[in-house]
Amino acid sequence: MTFLIRTIDRTATGREIVRDRKVEGDTLTIGRATTNDIVLPDLAVEQHHATVSMADRGRLHIVAASNRNFVHDGRSSDEATFDPASGAELGFGTYELDFSREAEDTILVTITQTEKEYGNRDAVRGFDLASAMPGKRIMAWIGLGVVLLAFLVVPVWSSLTRDDKQPGANGPDQVAMDSSWSTGKLSEAHHALEQNCEACHVQPFVAVRDETCLTCHEDIGDHAKSGRLLTARGPMSAGDAVLWSVAETLGKEGPTACTTCHTEHEGAGRMLPTRQQFCADCHDGMDTRLTDTELANAHDFGKDHPELKAAIHQSLGSEKLTRVVIDGKARENNGLRFPHDMHLSTTNGVARMAGNLQQYGKALECADCHKPTEDEYGFLPVVMEDSCESCHSLVYDKVGPTFRTLRHGDVAQMRADLVAMDRAPRSQIVDPRRRPGEFKRGGRYFQDFGRPTQNYIGIASALGKDGVCGECHIPTVKDGQQSVMPVFQSSGYFLNGRFDHQAHRQEKCTSCHLANTSKSARDLLLPDLKSCRECHQGEQAVKADVPSSCAMCHSYHPPNFRREEDTDETAAPGRVALMTRRKGDE
């Protein structure tokens, strides 16, 4: 037997759409499930509602497959038998099925949908929640009212009626339901202010002001005046100008405000460093906009960056710092005579001496003398008593079990100590026949400055070029007496940048500082720009070992570097940044 299923649908304009398909077999299943032969998408129809099968004498027998009846020729029934030649009408929900004989072995089933039971309402809508709710437009207005009430009216009313609260005060937030206004967590630096919005947002609906930031961050370096910064940045694009015009109209400060660079509520953790493009906006081609500046252009460390400069003591005996280009030719006069290669050798007498001392036990390394600062950005000054005296002993006498040592760093005191030996009992004076530099038990060396009556000659000998002081210091004459040049040690050479030694701990010191080949203390053992670029390239460099933005080495606000005499009115016009200078520096 063949069942010809004909479905008649209507468009919005009333035009009929007829679709035919055939089902072969002696049974026909009807229901809402898609596994049925006739699928009726109506919630009033069961998943498997009824089954039609062949009966005797060419008639059809239909029986309900569930506890819900169907309509047969206007009467509700759970079972019926009819002759398709005479026709029959079955009702399932809003659908009508008309059975008729199309041919001897073909039964035509015509499916149409009626709205008699539900009037003009959609059939599915009669069984969902929307049928009992107001329309979409009304619900939209109701939702808008709820949002305005909960997230605007309540917080504003709470802010206006709360107790007075001073900005920066500790305690829970007194504004109700304002957490929905926050775009994210505060950074680690401001984590303590999570429940104290008023610390920064002093006035409701007013952008954070610079003076609010400066109540806590008062000791910071700064760039030049706003007008000069805007000139260095160059003209804005039309789009940026419009956006800033709108922002300033709504109370936001200009492009040089703190919040332009330092954005908060970006999530817990450290504040994100400033992007390279932010610096390049001003420093790329800045000399064309600020013709009086002495700063070189820069926009990418790997492509366009000026040669590195170091602040060194260029004049012997002078504390004054001078910035020089690190090009391999610069020399520093720090007052020392110290050959690095001799002390870092693994085979000479210095190495053997260090191997015999319990303090070292092997050849010297850089870390034996150079100790990093707490932040590991630089190194502490080398202290003679801690790093040098184990080999370069200044012990000159022994009284009982106690050793007497010359006062390092105080030439006048050294003279006084040696002259005082003339007045000491002979039992307390070291045997003058002791060989100079003789090694004694306990790792001590003795220096022979001659008999007591010849101590003035001994002083002159010690301060000479080949004397015990002259081994490391440069002799000079001060106030008519022999002395040594003062020593100046720098903990950091870069005035406008910083270098994190901790991040380079996997490297050997000699990878960047060629100390093992340096024969003079005047050598400036700093890597040049080319050496740094072997690993570091710009922020967008794909092949770089370490893609590096400007913020990796530079800070917009380096602390405590402004000169005392530098003010916004008296600052030199050749500089954009009023930072990283100490009084007396060049």
Side-chain angles (χ1 to χ4, degrees):
M1 179 63 66
T2 299
F3 292 93
L4 177 61
I5 311 299
R6 176 170 294 168
T7 303
I8 301 177
D9 295 320
R10 293 182 181 276
T11 65
T13 58
R15 183 172 60 88
E16 290 187 350
I17 301 176
V18 180
R19 299 182 180 88
D20 290 344
R21 62 186 178 89
K22 293 182 179 181
V23 176
E24 301 290 343
D26 293 333
T27 60
L28 192 67
T29 57
I30 304 171
R32 183 156 44 91
T34 57
T35 56
N36 293 286
D37 297 323
I38 297 179
V39 179
L40 304 177
D42 189 331
L43 294 176
V45 179
E46 292 289 336
Q47 295 281 344
H48 300 284
H49 201 118
T51 302
V52 178
S53 59
M54 296 299 299
D56 57 347
R57 293 181 292 179
R59 294 187 299 174
L60 296 177
H61 181 72
I62 180 171
V63 60
S66 64
N67 58 0
R68 181 167 293 184
N69 295 341
F70 56 88
V71 176
H72 175 224
D73 291 337
R75 292 178 297 179
S76 177
S77 177
D78 60 357
E79 185 176 3
T81 302
F82 58 90
D83 186 355
S86 301
E89 185 180 279
L90 301 179
F92 296 87
T94 60
Y95 288 89
E96 289 184 356
L97 280 64
D98 292 325
F99 285 80
S100 61
R101 186 174 293 277
E102 181 75 6
E104 184 176 352
D105 58 348
T106 301
I107 305 297
L108 174 63
V109 182
T110 303
I111 303 174
T112 58
Q113 189 174 17
T114 178
E115 296 181 355
K116 293 179 181 179
E117 183 178 353
Y118 302 101
N120 294 325
R121 292 183 302 167
D122 181 80
V124 176
R125 185 183 175 189
F127 293 89
D128 60 19
L129 187 61
S131 62
M133 297 291 289
K136 293 181 179 179
R137 186 181 300 275
I138 297 177
M139 290 299 297
W141 283 109
I142 293 175
L144 178 61
V146 171
V147 170
L148 291 177
L149 177 65
F151 304 118
L152 181 62
V153 176
V154 171
V156 171
W157 177 83
S158 174
S159 177
L160 295 175
T161 59
R162 65 183 177 142
D163 296 333
D164 290 338
K165 186 175 182 181
Q166 295 298 322
N170 294 322
D173 187 10
Q174 294 185 6
V175 180
M177 298 182 69
D178 65 341
S179 59
S180 60
W181 296 2
S182 175
T183 59
K185 291 289 187 179
L186 292 175
S187 64
E188 289 180 357
H190 296 141
H191 176 70
L193 303 177
E194 283 283 1
Q195 299 299 322
N196 189 7
C197 303
E198 293 83 359
C200 300
H201 301 278
V202 177
Q203 300 181 38
F205 303 103
V206 176
V208 177
R209 320 300 290 179
D210 284 356
E211 57 265 26
T212 304
C213 301
L214 293 174
T215 56
C216 295
H217 305 281
E218 55 183 353
D219 296 327
I220 60 174
D222 198 2
H223 270 47
K225 296 172 67 174
S226 298
R228 187 167 177 82
L229 287 177
L230 291 175
T231 303
R233 188 181 188 275
M236 298 183 185
S237 65
D240 286 345
V242 171
L243 292 177
W244 274 111
S245 176
V246 174
E248 291 174 355
T249 303
L250 296 177
K252 185 175 177 62
E253 292 182 295
T256 59
C258 301
T259 54
T260 303
C261 311
H262 304 291
T263 55
E264 259 297 355
H265 296 285
E266 298 290 342
R270 298 186 61 182
M271 293 186 73
L272 296 177
T274 305
R275 294 190 306 109
Q276 175 176 289
Q277 185 58 44
F278 172 79
C279 304
D281 283 344
C282 292
H283 288 270
D284 184 13
M286 185 171 61
D287 57 352
T288 62
R289 298 182 291 273
L290 291 178
T291 56
D292 59 349
T293 185
E294 298 176 2
L295 294 175
N297 295 328
H299 79 273
D300 185 283
F301 186 75
K303 299 176 182 178
D304 182 16
H305 190 281
E307 293 292 334
L308 304 181
K309 289 186 177 182
I312 64 173
H313 298 88
Q314 199 171 40
S315 300
L316 189 63
S318 174
E319 189 179 2
K320 182 180 180 180
L321 290 174
T322 303
R323 294 185 71 205
V324 298
V325 175
I326 304 174
D327 56 1
K329 300 177 182 179
R331 294 292 181 268
E332 182 177 26
N333 289 299
N334 52 22
L336 283 175
R337 296 175 58 195
F338 182 88
H340 276 87
D341 62 338
M342 176 187 296
H343 289 77
L344 292 178
S345 173
T346 59
T347 57
N348 64 2
V350 176
R352 290 194 295 271
M353 180 184 296
N356 292 331
L357 295 177
Q358 185 177 1
Q359 179 178 348
Y360 304 113
K362 59 180 180 180
L364 294 178
E365 299 176 352
C366 300
D368 291 329
C369 299
H370 297 284
K371 308 298 182 184
T373 56
E374 184 176 356
D375 57 12
E376 299 200 28
Y377 278 132
F379 285 85
L380 298 170
V382 176
V383 180
M384 193 274 180
E385 290 78 5
D386 297 336
S387 302
C388 309
E389 193 174 12
S390 55
C391 296
H392 299 274
S393 175
L394 296 183
V395 172
Y396 69 95
D397 196 8
K398 183 178 180 182
V399 179
T402 303
F403 294 98
R404 299 176 68 185
T405 306
L406 295 178
R407 308 290 181 88
H408 181 263
D410 191 339
V411 177
Q413 185 65 52
M414 182 200 73
R415 291 195 188 96
D417 288 342
L418 292 179
V419 170
M421 292 181 64
D422 281 334
R423 306 185 182 95
R426 294 197 58 81
S427 61
Q428 298 181 7
I429 300 174
V430 176
D431 184 356
R433 294 171 297 176
R434 179 176 291 119
R435 184 174 62 185
E438 182 181 356
F439 180 72
K440 290 296 180 181
R441 283 181 140 185
R444 295 285 182 176
Y445 289 81
F446 286 91
Q447 303 291 342
D448 186 3
F449 295 98
R451 296 176 182 276
T453 56
Q454 300 177 344
N455 277 340
Y456 286 101
I457 300 176
I459 294 172
S461 176
L463 293 172
K465 180 178 180 181
D466 298 323
V468 63
C469 300
E471 287 182 353
C472 301
H473 296 273
I474 298 175
T476 187
V477 176
K478 184 178 181 180
D479 298 331
Q481 294 181 318
Q482 283 187 294
S483 183
V484 294
M485 283 289 183
V487 175
F488 301 104
Q489 299 184 63
S490 298
S491 60
Y493 286 89
F494 296 118
L495 295 182
N496 292 334
R498 64 181 185 272
F499 181 84
D500 187 358
H501 281 87
Q502 184 179 14
H504 296 77
R505 299 179 92 175
Q506 72 278 9
E507 293 289 338
K508 295 181 179 179
C509 300
T510 52
S511 298
C512 301
H513 308 283
L514 305 180
N516 52 345
T517 60
S518 172
K519 299 182 180 298
S520 172
R522 297 182 65 241
D523 292 340
L524 187 60
L525 302 177
L526 296 175
D528 58 13
L529 182 63
K530 181 180 179 180
S531 176
C532 297
R533 281 176 170 170
E534 292 179 4
C535 298
H536 296 272
Q537 294 289 325
E539 184 179 70
Q540 304 298 327
V542 177
K543 297 183 179 180
D545 293 340
V546 185
S548 308
S549 66
C550 304
M552 180 175 287
C553 300
H554 298 282
S555 173
Y556 192 89
H557 297 293
N560 303 324
F561 283 134
R562 178 177 290 198
R563 287 183 176 183
E564 293 179 3
E565 70 271 20
D566 275 343
T567 64
D568 285 345
E569 290 74 25
T570 62
R575 292 203 305 271
V576 170
L578 303 178
M579 61 181 183
T580 64
R581 298 287 192 277
R582 295 180 301 177
K583 190 173 182 179
D585 298 349
E586 229 180 48

